[in-house]
């Protein structure tokens, strides 16, 4: 794999700060990749950060006392308004800095939410914030269903996955709609920075968060967060599943910087999606025909993405 | 051969879902929220099996809007939610009142306000159920206290909403919703199912909001040739927006009349040992279960206690409360809120007897012991006076 990671080759674990801003002691499930992603994100956004967090797994497992994990100030908002509250924080900080009440300095305002809080109930607030151009980072931790309330489908649940409100049966094969393409929706707002990431690629994730925080204006990062509980896979396969999601092309890692698409990992050949599905209970019922259907779609989408990279290439 | 009745061990939420299916509900639109999610989960499996449709929407605003749309298309429709979602639904609940769209909203009460206590019981949404949406409007609110009641009151709620063309709100609290009890499901022929009145006139004669003796105009489903306008603006009898005071006044009069002239049919309550009761507990939801036990134990100690269990919360059951107020010396209203129904009891009691409260908002249910303690205290006070 490393030869595809040329851009990331300069990183080494020992160059990363040892300082933690999301500390152990929270009550996430065993093997929760979301908790890892939050930790990596916090490492990259560092101090001088304010978090606005929607209702969801992160809020539940990291905020109740004495299991609190945050070393930066944060606000838990209602389900639908992370981006709106983050907008308010950003504007409020701007106002008091302008008045000279606090010294002028860079404060990262980071809105975090799950896939439900981003692509379903929170989409309106997010769209508004991106359009207004607040200088903030919005991170979506996508575990592909409402895991906090007990694995109900969201618009981010992939086609064919079985959840408690899209149960797989004899007639209906689980989720019947395709995953909503949130990074594209964010990119369509013409914001300076959009990226996808996965904690199975930790340095890539941290680099993207760092970049998003530095860029002036709104930035959106979509992080695939493997959920062993909801995806029905052994917790020790969490990181492996994240890698497979990327290597099969189900969840390609890319950036959109000022309209220019760039693949973070350009895979010459995709692994078959079956390898990714095989380890997950939520896809256990899929027939070969359905897997082929999904495989075709994944290839098409990947080709489309590559074309976008070609079309927006510099020079 | 005699058909065998199904005996099940169900959760309150699942009993609501079974009740909805029995009542003929064929459309559910909702959004996951603790502690109501099991209703959605159950119906996501069962509705497609009976030819119905389950849709998970992007939020509660959309859920309630979809329910209104499906009901206008002719399907018996419902949604289920809890406090934060119920707040988001308020605008469209108002629309359903205004446009007279029958539908059922189940609100499983958890601690609030805001995200509150998602997994703890409360009864804080009683006033919100009545007045949550803006503007003057009538509404029917029921409250269940056991798993069998969840089933029967869901059927009843659908019947009332169809009969009076109004949204009906069924309140459960987290304890009732998640408690498992035995339930014997009645056979379909044992249930009274009421469907909305449909127009008997040809489409060209149909006047969608014309008054009649019942105050409930016949409702034509969209798509059957009846062309009419539905709006959240105050409308004339043809459904078109109006600002004429001679049309606005009669519209409101009819909206309230269709409910107020049928209070007797809408009001539901149960009494226990009230014939000679000196202290009557007025309770609803899971608290009524604790209250019943407390009343039994008080009787064993020689205190003449009784229970009035309110099942219809709105319109408020004035006659039932007046009856117990006349016969008792004290009314005790235990609630898992800071006193929402007790205000109503005080209003209706109007000084006839003493009204005392027992309020608890710490996220735990009110136990029989707590009610018994309060009964004993009150009894001592009364005897000393």
């Amino acid at each position: 794999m490393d030869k595809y990671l040329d851009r990331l080759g300069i990183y080494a674990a020992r160059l990363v700060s040892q300082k933690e801003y999301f500390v152990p002691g929270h009550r996430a499930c065993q093997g929760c990749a979301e908790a890892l992603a939050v930790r990596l994100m916090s490492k990259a956004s560092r101090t001088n950060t304010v978090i606005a967090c929607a209702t969801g797994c992160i809020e539940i497992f990291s905020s109740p006392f004495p299991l609190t994990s945050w070393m930066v100030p944060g606000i838990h908002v209602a389900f639908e308004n992370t981006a709106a509250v983050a907008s308010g924080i950003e504007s409020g900080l701007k106002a008091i800095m302008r008045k000279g009440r606090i010294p002028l300095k860079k404060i990262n305002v980071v809105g975090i939410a799950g896939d439900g809080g981003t692509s379903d109930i929170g989409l309106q607030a997010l769209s508004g914030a991106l359009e207004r151009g607040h200088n903030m980072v919005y991170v979506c931790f996508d575990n592909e269903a409402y895991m906090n309330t007990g694995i109900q489908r969201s618009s981010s649940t992939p086609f064919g996955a079985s959840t408690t409100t899209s149960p797989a049966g004899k007639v209906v094969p689980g989720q019947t709609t395709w995953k909503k393409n949130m990074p594209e929706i964010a990119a369509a707002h013409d914001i300076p920075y959009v990226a996808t990431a996965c904690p199975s690629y930790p340095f890539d994730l941290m680099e993207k968060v760092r970049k998003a925080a530095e860029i002036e204006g709104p930035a959106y990062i979509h992080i695939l967060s493997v959920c062993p509980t909801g995806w029905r896979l052994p917790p020790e396969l969490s990181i492996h599943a994240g890698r497979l999601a990327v290597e099969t092309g189900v969840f390609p890692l890319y950036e959109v910087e000022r309209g220019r698409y760039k693949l973070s990992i350009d895979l010459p050949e995709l692994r078959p999606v079956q390898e990714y599905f095989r380890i997950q209970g939520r896809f256990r019922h899929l027939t070969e025909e359905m897997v082929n259907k999904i495989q075709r779609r994944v290839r098409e989408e990947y080709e489309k993405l590559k074309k976008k990279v070609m079309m927006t290439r510099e020079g | 051969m005699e058909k065998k009745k199904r005996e099940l061990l169900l959760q309150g939420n699942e009993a609501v879902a079974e009740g909805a299916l029995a009542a003929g509900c064929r459309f559910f639109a909702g959004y996951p929220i603790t502690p109501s999610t099991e209703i959605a989960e159950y119906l996501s499996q069962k509705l497609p099996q009976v030819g119905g449709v389950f849709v998970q929407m992007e939020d509660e605003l959309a859920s309630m809007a979809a329910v209104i749309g499906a009901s206008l298309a002719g399907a018996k429709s419902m949604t289920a939610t809890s406090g934060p979602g119920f707040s988001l639904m308020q605008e469209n609940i108002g629309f359903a009142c205004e446009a007279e769209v029958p539908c059922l909203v189940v609100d499983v009460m958890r601690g609030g306000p805001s995200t509150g206590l998602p997994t703890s019981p409360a009864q804080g949404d009683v006033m919100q159920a009545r007045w949550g949406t803006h503007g003057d409007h009538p509404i029917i609110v029921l409250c269940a206290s056991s798993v069998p009641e969840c089933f029967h009151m869901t059927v009843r709620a659908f019947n009332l909403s169809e009969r009076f063309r109004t949204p009906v709100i069924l309140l459960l609290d987290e304890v009732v919703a998640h408690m498992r009890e035995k339930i014997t499901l009645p056979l379909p022929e044992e249930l009274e199912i009421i469907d909305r009145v449909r127009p008997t006139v040809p489409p060209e004669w149909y006047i969608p909001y014309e008054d009649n003796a019942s105050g409930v105009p016949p409702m034509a489903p969209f798509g059957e040739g009846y062309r009419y306008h539905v709006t959240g603006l105050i409308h004339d009898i043809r459904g078109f927006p109006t600002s004429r005071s001679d049309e606005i006044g009669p519209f409101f009069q009819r909206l309230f009349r269709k409910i107020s002239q049928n209070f007797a049919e809408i009001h539901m309550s149960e009494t226990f040992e009230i014939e000679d009761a000196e202290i009557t507990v007025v309770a609803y939801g899971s608290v009524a279960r604790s209250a019943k036990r407390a009343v039994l134990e008080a009787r064993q100690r020689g205190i003449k206690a009784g229970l009035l269990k309110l099942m219809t919360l709105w319109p408020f059951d004035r006659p039932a409360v007046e009856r117990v107020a006349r016969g008792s010396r004290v009314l005790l209203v235990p609630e898992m809120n800071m006193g929402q129904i007790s205000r109503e009891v005080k209003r209706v009691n109007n000084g006839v007897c003493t009204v005392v409260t027992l309020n608890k908002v710490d996220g735990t249910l009110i136990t029989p012991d707590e009610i018994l303690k309060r009964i004993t205290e009150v009894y001592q006070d009364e005897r000393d006076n």
Side-chain angles (χ1 to χ4, degrees), chain B residues 219-267:
Chain B
M219 187 174 175
F222 276 165
E224 284 189 6
Y226 291 85
R227 188 162 60 88
Y228 65 107
H229 186 68
V230 180
T231 175
L233 288 157
I234 302 289
H235 42 269
D236 61 15
I237 55 170
R238 294 186 181 276
F240 293 106
T242 180
S243 46
R244 280 174 50 176
S245 54
D246 61 337
E247 289 177 335
I248 300 167
F251 166 78
F252 269 108
Q253 295 299 334
R254 180 176 64 72
L255 206 62
F256 278 83
R257 197 187 84 227
K258 72 176 180 181
I259 304 290
S260 61
Q261 69 188 11
N262 293 295
F263 276 172
E265 188 185 330
I266 298 165
H267 285 154

Side-chain angles (χ1 to χ4, degrees), chain B residues 131-169:
Chain B
W131 294 115
T133 193
H134 61 274
D136 220 352
H137 61 280
I139 200 153
I140 299 173
V141 180
L142 310 179
C143 182
S145 66
S146 71
V147 170
E149 255 179 46
C150 283
F151 178 91
H152 289 286
M153 287 177 85
T154 303
V155 176
R156 178 112 176 105
F158 268 110
N159 286 348
L160 291 173
S161 84
E162 292 284 312
R163 178 146 150 57
F164 299 118
R165 280 190 70 174
T166 176
V168 173
I169 291 157

Side-chain angles (χ1 to χ4, degrees), chain A residues 120-121 146 152-153 164-165, chain B residues 31 37 41 44 56 58-59:
Chain A
D120 285 345
I121 196 167
Y146 291 86
Q152 292 84 25
R153 71 158 289 260
T164 54
T165 53
Chain B
Y31 190 70
T37 311
E41 289 178 346
S44 77
Q56 190 183 307
E58 69 273 22
D59 57 25

Side-chain angles (χ1 to χ4, degrees), chain A residues 27 55-56 59-60 63-64 76-79 148-149, chain B residues 13 32-38 81-85 107-122 125 172-175 177-178 362-363:
Chain A
R27 58 181 189 199
T55 300
E59 166 255 319
I60 286 294
S63 64
H76 161 222
V77 300
F79 206 177
N148 176 35
T149 45
Chain B
N13 277 338
I33 185 164
T34 308
S36 78
T37 311
E38 292 84 3
T81 189
S82 183
D107 172 27
V108 183
M109 293 183 283
R110 66 191 216 184
S114 191
T115 314
L117 289 163
T119 51
S120 303
D125 303 353
L172 313 179
D173 54 65
E174 189 273 339
V175 170
H178 283 159
D362 64 359

Side-chain angles (χ1 to χ4, degrees), chain A residues 42 58 72 76 99 103 119 129-130 142 173 179 218 230 236 276 311:
Chain A
S42 312
I58 302 172
V72 289
H76 161 222
K99 285 187 170 183
S119 64
L130 298 183
D142 180 7
K179 186 182 172 79
E236 68 271 22
Y276 173 58
M311 274 164 57

